[in-house]
Amino acid sequence: MNRNRLPAPLFEGLEAGATLIVQSPQRQAAIRAAWVLEQRDAGRTIWNTPRVLTFSQFAEGVLQDQWARANLPDALLPPGAEWATLRELRRDAGGPAEARALLNSVRTLSDWRIAATPRVLGLSPESELLAEALAVLERLSNEQKRKPLRAWLDDLQPPPERLSAAGIDDLPAAHRETLRRLGAQEPSPPAGGQARAAPAIATAENDEHELELIASWCRTELERDPGRRLLIVDAKLRQRRGSYERLLSQTLAPSTWIAADARTASTSFAIEGGRPLSDFPLIAHALLSLRLLTGRLRFDEVVRWLRMPFLDTADVMAGAAVEASVRDGRKLEFTGDELATFLGHAEVTAVEPLAARLRQAKASLAGPRRTPAEWAPRLLGALRQLGWHGSRALRSDEQQTVNRWHALLDEYSALGPWLPQATASEAVATLADLARERNFDAASIEAPVTLTESHDDPLVSYDGIWVAGLDAAQWPPAPR
């Protein structure tokens, strides 16, 4: 078993108080988890939190410190401002997905120092749209007298502390050049190198078979030594996340599938990167509730809303009775008022209070167009009037999700300077788009199996690594 998961150069640098820059939030989490394990193995109960940052976190912190020392105002344009501006630009065309693609393209041009000239971009409708987006963001920056982080990189001054960057060659050109200008050093490999195990190749018949092989490998390794730490690297992790969750949980902890209680987050494996907030049941129910209060839900969405356990009713079977009545009603869509009226005639006594709460919550969202700062507390208040998220005690991961929902409302409220006044339904649509843009994962304990989609250097040591999906169709990857 490999107990020294953190390579000596990284450990020694962090212990000496150096700031370590890593490629991604996933590597940041891995380093911090390995540091905790090292401290516990050393018998410590209290230790300093290491300064492990992504490049964006580091650069923003350096800027804020510089401005604070010089008594200058904050001149950083928040990333959300650019997102909101491009979303409004493409509202009636490509929508949020196109705005996201445009913003990613803008950042890629900057990250790799690519000149945004007609000769480089070419002549096509797509290049014209990208040029328009660049001009809109430039105009926004001038009007606000603020610049995005990528425009401040050349103004960064070397920090007073020792600066180390792991995997610096894997960073985009702009980040790499900035770190080297600031004196960042890459940790030296240990003398003599590390012993490397001979790689083995497993041939799978299809994707499902490959995942079965991976799950079986994890079980065999952990049965041999429960203290082993394993890493699964899969570039298609986002698409196959559900399959991994099913197969690994069934293979590593099958008892959770026959337990009387609802399954909680697995302690056997952890998936890096999180998932969109809108995918979490608590957040999905909140967004369905707000859409019901401000617009219409399809029949299948109403059924899903009724089935989710985040509203209080006196009878736990009331939802099933209402669902049966809704199906008999043969109505394809419901507004909040229509559903409240329907519940009032459903002859299910337990849901009569829900009908009243629906009307009350809907009334609280009536009125004129408002700013995000005005809508945010009203939307939260309407959910509370409706009874969301119920009165049952939440699990730790659910409570963290609720806290992240509150933070999302704060983010939406802060976008006021860059979003126009909106109706209630428009405000909910913007909030839903923001929830799809933000990834989240509840904090969990150190799991023996970690899954990642990144092919970057893992930085910490593992007892076994399985790299999945190396078929001819996707490896080597296409040139970028």
Side-chain angles (χ1 to χ4, degrees), residues 311-396:
L311 290 176
D312 285 333
T313 57
D315 181 358
V316 295
M317 298 303 294
V322 173
E323 180 182 334
S325 299
V326 169
R327 290 183 181 277
D328 291 340
R330 303 190 180 189
K331 189 174 176 62
L332 296 180
E333 291 185 335
F334 286 89
T335 65
D337 285 333
E338 290 168 347
L339 185 59
T341 300
F342 184 87
L343 293 175
H345 296 102
E347 298 182 357
V348 182
T349 306
V351 298
E352 290 178 0
L354 178 58
R357 293 201 301 267
L358 263 173
R359 294 190 182 93
Q360 183 182 13
K362 184 173 176 60
S364 69
L365 296 179
R369 304 175 77 89
R370 295 185 173 91
T371 65
E374 293 171 325
W375 274 126
R378 286 177 175 269
L379 295 175
L380 183 59
L383 285 175
R384 287 173 173 164
Q385 287 176 322
L386 194 56
W388 183 87
H389 47 79
S391 59
R392 71 176 179 86
L394 297 178
R395 304 190 307 261
S396 173

Coordinates of all heavy atoms in Angstrom, one line a residue, residues 311-396:
L311 N -41.7 18.4 -0.3 CA -42.8 19.2 0.1 C -43.5 18.5 1.3 O -43.6 17.2 1.2 CB -43.8 19.5 -1.0 CG -43.3 20.4 -2.1 CD1 -44.4 20.5 -3.2 CD2 -43.0 21.8 -1.6
D312 N -43.9 19.2 2.3 CA -44.6 18.6 3.4 C -46.1 18.3 3.1 O -46.8 19.1 2.5 CB -44.6 19.6 4.6 CG -43.2 19.6 5.2 OD1 -42.5 18.6 5.1 OD2 -42.9 20.6 5.8
T313 N -46.5 17.1 3.4 CA -47.9 16.7 3.3 C -48.2 15.8 4.6 O -47.3 15.1 5.1 CB -48.2 15.9 2.1 OG1 -47.4 14.7 2.0 CG2 -48.0 16.7 0.8
A314 N -49.4 15.8 5.0 CA -49.8 15.0 6.2 C -49.8 13.5 5.9 O -49.6 12.7 6.8 CB -51.1 15.5 6.7
D315 N -50.0 13.2 4.6 CA -50.1 11.8 4.2 C -49.0 11.5 3.2 O -48.9 12.1 2.1 CB -51.4 11.5 3.6 CG -51.6 10.1 3.2 OD1 -50.7 9.3 3.3 OD2 -52.7 9.8 2.7
V316 N -48.1 10.6 3.5 CA -47.0 10.3 2.6 C -47.4 9.7 1.3 O -46.7 9.7 0.3 CB -45.9 9.4 3.2 CG1 -45.3 10.0 4.4 CG2 -46.6 8.1 3.6
M317 N -48.7 9.1 1.2 CA -49.2 8.6 0.0 C -50.0 9.5 -0.8 O -50.6 9.2 -1.8 CB -50.0 7.3 0.4 CG -49.2 6.2 1.0 SD -47.8 5.7 0.0 CE -48.7 4.9 -1.4
A318 N -50.2 10.8 -0.3 CA -51.0 11.7 -0.9 C -50.5 12.0 -2.4 O -51.3 12.2 -3.3 CB -51.1 13.0 -0.1
G319 N -49.2 12.1 -2.5 CA -48.6 12.4 -3.9 C -49.1 11.4 -4.9 O -49.4 11.7 -6.0
A320 N -49.1 10.1 -4.5 CA -49.5 9.0 -5.4 C -51.0 9.2 -5.7 O -51.4 9.0 -6.9 CB -49.3 7.6 -4.8
A321 N -51.8 9.5 -4.7 CA -53.2 9.7 -5.0 C -53.5 10.9 -6.0 O -54.3 10.8 -6.9 CB -54.0 10.0 -3.7
V322 N -52.7 12.0 -5.8 CA -52.9 13.2 -6.6 C -52.4 12.8 -8.0 O -53.0 13.2 -9.0 CB -52.1 14.4 -6.1 CG1 -52.1 15.5 -7.1 CG2 -52.7 14.8 -4.8
E323 N -51.3 12.1 -8.1 CA -50.8 11.7 -9.4 C -51.8 10.9 -10.2 O -52.0 11.0 -11.4 CB -49.5 10.8 -9.3 CG -48.9 10.4 -10.6 CD -47.7 9.5 -10.5 OE1 -47.0 9.6 -9.4 OE2 -47.4 8.7 -11.4
A324 N -52.5 10.0 -9.5 CA -53.6 9.2 -10.1 C -54.7 10.1 -10.7 O -55.2 9.9 -11.8 CB -54.1 8.1 -9.2
S325 N -55.0 11.1 -9.8 CA -56.1 12.0 -10.3 C -55.6 12.9 -11.5 O -56.4 13.1 -12.4 CB -56.5 13.0 -9.1 OG -57.0 12.2 -8.0
V326 N -54.3 13.3 -11.5 CA -53.8 14.1 -12.6 C -53.8 13.2 -13.9 O -54.2 13.7 -14.9 CB -52.4 14.5 -12.2 CG1 -51.7 15.1 -13.5 CG2 -52.4 15.6 -11.1
R327 N -53.5 12.0 -13.7 CA -53.5 11.1 -14.9 C -55.0 11.0 -15.5 O -55.2 11.0 -16.7 CB -52.9 9.7 -14.6 CG -51.4 9.8 -14.3 CD -50.9 8.4 -14.1 NE -49.5 8.4 -13.8 CZ -48.5 8.4 -14.7 NH1 -48.9 8.5 -16.0 NH2 -47.2 8.5 -14.4
D328 N -55.9 10.8 -14.5 CA -57.3 10.7 -15.0 C -57.8 12.0 -15.6 O -58.7 11.9 -16.4 CB -58.2 10.3 -13.8 CG -57.9 8.9 -13.3 OD1 -57.3 8.1 -14.1 OD2 -58.2 8.6 -12.1
G329 N -57.2 13.1 -15.2 CA -57.7 14.4 -15.7 C -57.3 14.6 -17.2 O -57.9 15.5 -17.9
R330 N -56.3 13.9 -17.7 CA -55.9 14.0 -19.1 C -55.6 15.4 -19.5 O -55.8 15.8 -20.7 CB -56.9 13.4 -20.0 CG -57.3 11.9 -19.6 CD -58.2 11.3 -20.6 NE -58.4 9.9 -20.2 CZ -59.0 9.0 -21.0 NH1 -59.4 9.3 -22.2 NH2 -59.3 7.8 -20.5
K331 N -55.0 16.2 -18.6 CA -54.5 17.5 -19.0 C -53.0 17.5 -19.2 O -52.3 16.9 -18.4 CB -54.9 18.5 -17.9 CG -54.7 20.0 -18.2 CD -55.2 20.8 -17.1 CE -54.9 22.3 -17.3 NZ -55.6 22.8 -18.5
L332 N -52.6 18.1 -20.3 CA -51.2 18.0 -20.7 C -50.3 19.0 -20.0 O -49.1 18.8 -19.9 CB -51.0 18.1 -22.2 CG -51.7 17.0 -23.0 CD1 -51.5 17.2 -24.5 CD2 -51.2 15.6 -22.6
E333 N -50.8 20.1 -19.6 CA -50.0 21.2 -18.9 C -50.8 21.8 -17.8 O -52.0 21.8 -17.8 CB -49.6 22.3 -20.0 CG -48.6 21.9 -21.0 CD -48.2 23.0 -21.9 OE1 -49.0 24.0 -22.0 OE2 -47.1 23.0 -22.4
F334 N -50.0 22.3 -16.8 CA -50.7 22.9 -15.7 C -49.9 24.2 -15.3 O -48.7 24.3 -15.3 CB -50.6 22.0 -14.4 CG -51.6 20.9 -14.4 CD1 -51.2 19.7 -15.0 CD2 -52.8 21.0 -13.9 CE1 -52.1 18.6 -15.0 CE2 -53.7 20.0 -13.9 CZ -53.3 18.8 -14.4
T335 N -50.7 25.3 -15.0 CA -50.1 26.5 -14.4 C -50.2 26.2 -12.9 O -50.9 25.3 -12.4 CB -50.8 27.7 -14.8 OG1 -52.2 27.7 -14.3 CG2 -50.8 27.9 -16.3
G336 N -49.7 27.1 -12.1 CA -49.8 27.0 -10.6 C -51.3 27.1 -10.2 O -51.7 26.3 -9.4
D337 N -52.0 28.1 -10.8 CA -53.4 28.2 -10.4 C -54.2 27.0 -10.8 O -55.1 26.6 -10.1 CB -54.0 29.5 -11.1 CG -53.5 30.8 -10.5 OD1 -53.2 30.7 -9.2 OD2 -53.4 31.8 -11.1
E338 N -54.0 26.5 -12.0 CA -54.7 25.3 -12.5 C -54.5 24.1 -11.6 O -55.4 23.3 -11.3 CB -54.3 25.0 -14.0 CG -54.8 26.1 -15.0 CD -54.2 25.9 -16.3 OE1 -53.2 25.2 -16.5 OE2 -54.7 26.5 -17.3
L339 N -53.2 23.9 -11.2 CA -52.9 22.8 -10.4 C -53.5 23.0 -9.0 O -54.1 22.0 -8.4 CB -51.4 22.6 -10.2 CG -51.0 21.3 -9.4 CD1 -51.5 20.1 -10.1 CD2 -49.4 21.3 -9.3
A340 N -53.5 24.2 -8.5 CA -54.2 24.5 -7.2 C -55.6 24.2 -7.2 O -56.2 23.6 -6.3 CB -53.9 25.9 -6.7
T341 N -56.3 24.6 -8.3 CA -57.7 24.3 -8.5 C -58.0 22.8 -8.6 O -58.9 22.3 -8.0 CB -58.3 25.0 -9.7 OG1 -58.1 26.4 -9.6 CG2 -59.7 24.7 -9.9
F342 N -57.1 22.1 -9.3 CA -57.2 20.7 -9.5 C -57.1 20.0 -8.1 O -57.8 19.1 -7.8 CB -56.2 20.2 -10.5 CG -56.3 18.7 -10.8 CD1 -57.2 18.3 -11.8 CD2 -55.6 17.8 -10.1 CE1 -57.3 16.9 -12.1 CE2 -55.7 16.4 -10.3 CZ -56.6 16.0 -11.3
L343 N -56.1 20.4 -7.4 CA -55.9 19.8 -6.0 C -57.0 20.0 -5.1 O -57.4 19.2 -4.3 CB -54.6 20.3 -5.4 CG -53.2 20.0 -6.1 CD1 -52.1 20.7 -5.4 CD2 -53.0 18.5 -6.1
G344 N -57.7 21.2 -5.3 CA -58.9 21.5 -4.5 C -60.0 20.6 -4.7 O -60.9 20.4 -3.9
H345 N -60.1 20.0 -6.0 CA -61.2 19.1 -6.3 C -60.7 17.6 -6.4 O -61.5 16.8 -6.9 CB -61.8 19.5 -7.7 CG -62.4 20.9 -7.7 ND1 -61.7 22.0 -8.2 CD2 -63.6 21.3 -7.2 CE1 -62.5 23.0 -8.1 NE2 -63.6 22.7 -7.4
A346 N -59.5 17.3 -5.9 CA -59.0 16.0 -6.1 C -59.5 15.0 -5.0 O -59.3 13.8 -5.1 CB -57.5 16.0 -6.0
E347 N -60.3 15.5 -4.0 CA -60.8 14.7 -3.0 C -59.7 13.9 -2.2 O -59.9 12.8 -1.8 CB -61.8 13.7 -3.5 CG -63.1 14.4 -4.2 CD -64.1 13.4 -4.7 OE1 -63.8 12.1 -4.6 OE2 -65.1 13.8 -5.1
V348 N -58.6 14.6 -2.1 CA -57.5 14.0 -1.3 C -57.2 15.1 -0.2 O -56.6 16.1 -0.4 CB -56.2 13.8 -2.1 CG1 -55.1 13.2 -1.2 CG2 -56.5 12.9 -3.3
T349 N -57.8 14.8 1.0 CA -57.8 15.8 2.1 C -56.3 16.3 2.4 O -56.1 17.5 2.7 CB -58.4 15.2 3.3 OG1 -59.7 14.8 3.0 CG2 -58.5 16.3 4.4
A350 N -55.4 15.4 2.3 CA -54.0 15.7 2.8 C -53.4 16.8 1.9 O -52.4 17.4 2.4 CB -53.2 14.4 2.7
V351 N -53.8 17.0 0.7 CA -53.2 18.0 -0.2 C -53.9 19.3 -0.2 O -53.5 20.2 -1.0 CB -53.0 17.4 -1.6 CG1 -52.1 16.2 -1.6 CG2 -54.4 17.1 -2.2
E352 N -55.0 19.5 0.5 CA -55.6 20.8 0.5 C -54.7 21.9 1.0 O -54.7 23.0 0.4 CB -56.9 20.7 1.4 CG -58.0 19.8 0.8 CD -59.2 19.7 1.7 OE1 -59.2 20.3 2.8 OE2 -60.2 19.0 1.3
P353 N -53.9 21.7 2.0 CA -53.0 22.8 2.4 C -52.0 23.1 1.3 O -51.6 24.3 1.1 CB -52.2 22.2 3.6 CG -53.2 21.1 4.2 CD -53.8 20.6 3.0
L354 N -51.6 22.1 0.5 CA -50.7 22.4 -0.6 C -51.3 23.3 -1.6 O -50.7 24.2 -2.2 CB -50.2 21.0 -1.2 CG -49.3 21.1 -2.5 CD1 -48.0 21.9 -2.1 CD2 -49.0 19.8 -3.0
A355 N -52.6 23.1 -1.9 CA -53.3 23.9 -2.9 C -53.3 25.4 -2.4 O -53.1 26.3 -3.1 CB -54.7 23.4 -3.1
A356 N -53.5 25.6 -1.1 CA -53.5 26.9 -0.5 C -52.1 27.5 -0.6 O -52.0 28.7 -0.9 CB -54.0 26.9 0.9
R357 N -51.1 26.7 -0.3 CA -49.7 27.2 -0.4 C -49.4 27.6 -1.8 O -48.6 28.6 -2.0 CB -48.8 26.2 0.2 CG -48.9 26.0 1.7 CD -47.7 25.4 2.3 NE -47.3 24.1 1.7 CZ -47.6 22.9 2.1 NH1 -48.4 22.8 3.2 NH2 -47.2 21.8 1.6
L358 N -49.8 26.8 -2.7 CA -49.6 27.2 -4.1 C -50.1 28.5 -4.5 O -49.4 29.3 -5.1 CB -50.2 26.1 -5.1 CG -49.3 25.0 -5.6 CD1 -50.1 23.9 -6.3 CD2 -48.2 25.5 -6.5
R359 N -51.3 28.8 -4.1 CA -51.9 30.1 -4.4 C -51.2 31.2 -3.7 O -51.0 32.3 -4.3 CB -53.4 30.1 -4.0 CG -54.3 29.2 -4.8 CD -55.8 29.4 -4.5 NE -56.6 28.5 -5.3 CZ -57.1 27.3 -4.8 NH1 -56.7 27.0 -3.5 NH2 -57.8 26.5 -5.5
Q360 N -50.8 31.0 -2.5 CA -50.1 32.0 -1.7 C -48.8 32.4 -2.3 O -48.4 33.5 -2.5 CB -50.0 31.6 -0.3 CG -49.3 32.6 0.7 CD -49.2 32.1 2.1 OE1 -49.3 30.9 2.3 NE2 -48.8 33.0 3.0
A361 N -48.0 31.3 -2.6 CA -46.7 31.5 -3.2 C -46.8 32.1 -4.6 O -45.9 33.0 -4.9 CB -46.0 30.1 -3.3
K362 N -47.7 31.8 -5.4 CA -47.9 32.4 -6.7 C -48.2 33.9 -6.6 O -47.7 34.7 -7.3 CB -49.0 31.6 -7.5 CG -49.1 32.1 -8.9 CD -50.0 31.3 -9.7 CE -50.3 31.9 -11.1 NZ -49.0 31.9 -11.9
A363 N -49.1 34.2 -5.6 CA -49.4 35.6 -5.5 C -48.2 36.5 -5.1 O -48.1 37.6 -5.4 CB -50.5 35.7 -4.4
S364 N -47.3 35.9 -4.3 CA -46.1 36.6 -3.9 C -45.2 37.0 -5.0 O -44.3 37.9 -4.9 CB -45.4 35.8 -2.8 OG -44.7 34.7 -3.4
L365 N -45.3 36.3 -6.2 CA -44.4 36.6 -7.3 C -45.1 37.4 -8.4 O -44.5 37.6 -9.4 CB -44.0 35.2 -7.9 CG -43.1 34.4 -7.0 CD1 -42.7 33.1 -7.8 CD2 -41.8 35.1 -6.6
A366 N -46.3 37.9 -8.1 CA -47.0 38.7 -9.0 C -46.4 40.1 -9.0 O -45.7 40.5 -8.0 CB -48.5 38.8 -8.7
G367 N -46.6 40.9 -10.0 CA -46.2 42.3 -10.0 C -45.4 42.7 -11.2 O -45.2 41.9 -12.2
P368 N -44.8 43.8 -11.2 CA -44.0 44.3 -12.4 C -42.7 43.7 -12.5 O -42.3 42.8 -11.8 CB -43.9 45.8 -12.0 CG -43.8 45.8 -10.5 CD -44.7 44.7 -10.0
R369 N -42.0 44.1 -13.6 CA -40.6 43.7 -13.8 C -39.7 44.2 -12.7 O -39.8 45.3 -12.2 CB -40.1 44.2 -15.2 CG -41.0 43.8 -16.3 CD -40.5 44.5 -17.6 NE -39.4 43.8 -18.2 CZ -39.5 42.8 -19.0 NH1 -40.7 42.3 -19.4 NH2 -38.4 42.2 -19.5
R370 N -38.7 43.4 -12.3 CA -37.8 43.7 -11.2 C -36.4 43.4 -11.6 O -36.1 42.6 -12.5 CB -38.3 43.0 -9.9 CG -39.6 43.4 -9.4 CD -39.9 42.7 -8.1 NE -41.1 43.2 -7.4 CZ -42.3 42.7 -7.6 NH1 -42.4 41.6 -8.4 NH2 -43.4 43.2 -7.0
T371 N -35.5 43.9 -10.8 CA -34.0 43.6 -10.9 C -33.7 42.2 -10.3 O -34.5 41.7 -9.4 CB -33.2 44.6 -10.3 OG1 -33.4 44.6 -8.9 CG2 -33.5 46.0 -10.9
P372 N -32.6 41.6 -10.6 CA -32.2 40.3 -9.9 C -32.1 40.5 -8.4 O -32.5 39.6 -7.7 CB -30.8 40.0 -10.6 CG -30.9 40.6 -11.9 CD -31.7 41.9 -11.8
A373 N -31.6 41.6 -8.0 CA -31.5 41.8 -6.5 C -32.9 41.9 -5.9 O -33.0 41.5 -4.7 CB -30.7 43.1 -6.2
E374 N -33.9 42.3 -6.6 CA -35.2 42.3 -6.0 C -35.9 40.9 -6.1 O -36.7 40.5 -5.3 CB -36.1 43.4 -6.8 CG -35.7 44.8 -6.5 CD -36.4 45.8 -7.4 OE1 -36.6 45.5 -8.6 OE2 -36.6 46.9 -6.9
W375 N -35.6 40.2 -7.2 CA -36.2 38.9 -7.4 C -35.6 37.8 -6.5 O -36.4 36.9 -6.1 CB -36.1 38.5 -8.9 CG -37.1 39.0 -9.8 CD1 -36.9 39.7 -11.0 CD2 -38.5 38.8 -9.6 NE1 -38.2 40.0 -11.5 CE2 -39.2 39.5 -10.7 CE3 -39.4 38.3 -8.7 CZ2 -40.5 39.5 -10.9 CZ3 -40.7 38.3 -8.8 CH2 -41.3 38.9 -9.9
A376 N -34.3 37.9 -6.2 CA -33.7 36.8 -5.5 C -34.4 36.5 -4.2 O -34.8 35.3 -3.9 CB -32.2 37.0 -5.3
P377 N -34.6 37.5 -3.3 CA -35.3 37.1 -2.0 C -36.8 36.7 -2.2 O -37.3 35.9 -1.4 CB -35.2 38.4 -1.2 CG -35.0 39.5 -2.2 CD -34.2 38.9 -3.3
R378 N -37.4 37.3 -3.3 CA -38.8 36.9 -3.5 C -38.9 35.5 -4.0 O -39.9 34.8 -3.6 CB -39.4 37.9 -4.6 CG -39.8 39.3 -4.1 CD -40.3 40.1 -5.2 NE -40.7 41.4 -4.7 CZ -41.9 41.7 -4.3 NH1 -42.9 40.8 -4.3 NH2 -42.2 42.9 -3.8
L379 N -38.0 35.0 -4.8 CA -38.0 33.6 -5.3 C -37.8 32.7 -4.1 O -38.5 31.7 -4.0 CB -37.0 33.4 -6.3 CG -37.2 34.2 -7.6 CD1 -36.0 34.0 -8.6 CD2 -38.5 33.8 -8.3
L380 N -36.9 33.0 -3.2 CA -36.6 32.2 -2.1 C -37.8 32.2 -1.1 O -38.2 31.1 -0.6 CB -35.4 32.7 -1.3 CG -34.9 31.8 -0.1 CD1 -34.7 30.4 -0.5 CD2 -33.7 32.4 0.5
G381 N -38.4 33.4 -0.9 CA -39.6 33.5 -0.1 C -40.8 32.6 -0.6 O -41.5 32.0 0.1
A382 N -41.0 32.6 -1.9 CA -42.0 31.8 -2.6 C -41.8 30.4 -2.3 O -42.8 29.6 -2.0 CB -42.1 32.1 -4.0
L383 N -40.6 29.9 -2.4 CA -40.3 28.5 -2.2 C -40.6 28.1 -0.7 O -41.2 27.1 -0.4 CB -38.8 28.2 -2.5 CG -38.4 28.1 -3.9 CD1 -36.9 27.9 -4.1 CD2 -39.1 27.0 -4.6
R384 N -40.3 29.0 0.2 CA -40.6 28.8 1.6 C -42.0 28.7 1.9 O -42.5 27.9 2.7 CB -39.9 29.8 2.5 CG -38.3 29.6 2.5 CD -37.6 30.7 3.3 NE -36.2 30.5 3.4 CZ -35.3 31.4 3.8 NH1 -35.7 32.6 3.9 NH2 -34.0 31.0 3.9
Q385 N -42.8 29.6 1.2 CA -44.2 29.6 1.4 C -44.8 28.3 0.8 O -45.8 27.8 1.4 CB -44.9 30.8 0.6 CG -44.6 32.1 1.3 CD -45.2 33.3 0.4 OE1 -45.1 33.3 -0.8 NE2 -45.8 34.3 1.1
L386 N -44.2 27.8 -0.2 CA -44.7 26.5 -0.8 C -44.4 25.3 0.1 O -45.0 24.3 0.0 CB -44.1 26.3 -2.2 CG -44.7 25.3 -3.1 CD1 -46.1 25.5 -3.3 CD2 -43.9 25.3 -4.4
G387 N -43.4 25.5 1.0 CA -43.0 24.4 1.9 C -41.7 23.7 1.5 O -41.4 22.6 2.0
W388 N -41.0 24.2 0.5 CA -39.8 23.6 0.1 C -38.7 23.9 1.1 O -38.7 25.0 1.7 CB -39.3 24.2 -1.3 CG -38.1 23.7 -1.9 CD1 -38.0 22.6 -2.7 CD2 -36.7 24.1 -1.7 NE1 -36.7 22.4 -3.0 CE2 -35.9 23.3 -2.4 CE3 -36.1 25.2 -1.0 CZ2 -34.5 23.4 -2.5 CZ3 -34.8 25.3 -1.0 CH2 -34.0 24.5 -1.8
H389 N -37.9 23.0 1.5 CA -37.6 21.7 1.0 C -38.2 20.6 1.9 O -37.6 19.5 2.0 CB -36.1 21.5 0.9 CG -35.4 22.0 2.2 ND1 -35.4 21.3 3.4 CD2 -34.8 23.2 2.5 CE1 -34.7 22.0 4.3 NE2 -34.4 23.1 3.8
G390 N -39.3 20.9 2.6 CA -39.9 20.0 3.6 C -39.3 20.1 4.9 O -38.3 20.9 5.1
S391 N -39.8 19.4 5.9 CA -39.4 19.6 7.3 C -38.5 18.4 7.8 O -38.1 18.4 8.9 CB -40.6 19.7 8.2 OG -41.5 18.6 8.1
R392 N -38.4 17.4 7.0 CA -37.5 16.3 7.4 C -36.1 16.7 7.5 O -35.6 17.6 6.8 CB -37.7 15.1 6.4 CG -37.0 15.3 5.1 CD -37.1 14.1 4.2 NE -36.5 14.3 2.9 CZ -35.2 14.2 2.6 NH1 -34.4 13.8 3.6 NH2 -34.7 14.4 1.4
A393 N -35.4 16.0 8.4 CA -33.9 16.3 8.6 C -33.2 16.0 7.3 O -33.3 14.8 6.8 CB -33.4 15.5 9.7
L394 N -32.4 16.9 6.8 CA -31.6 16.7 5.6 C -30.3 16.0 5.9 O -29.7 16.2 6.9 CB -31.3 18.0 4.9 CG -32.5 18.8 4.4 CD1 -32.0 20.1 3.8 CD2 -33.3 18.0 3.4
R395 N -29.9 15.1 5.0 CA -28.5 14.5 5.1 C -27.5 15.6 4.9 O -27.8 16.7 4.4 CB -28.4 13.4 4.1 CG -29.4 12.3 4.1 CD -28.9 11.1 3.2 NE -28.6 11.6 1.9 CZ -29.4 11.5 0.8 NH1 -30.6 11.0 1.0 NH2 -29.0 11.9 -0.4
S396 N -26.2 15.2 5.2 CA -25.2 16.2 5.0 C -25.0 16.7 3.6 O -24.9 17.9 3.4 CB -23.8 15.6 5.5 OG -22.8 16.5 5.2

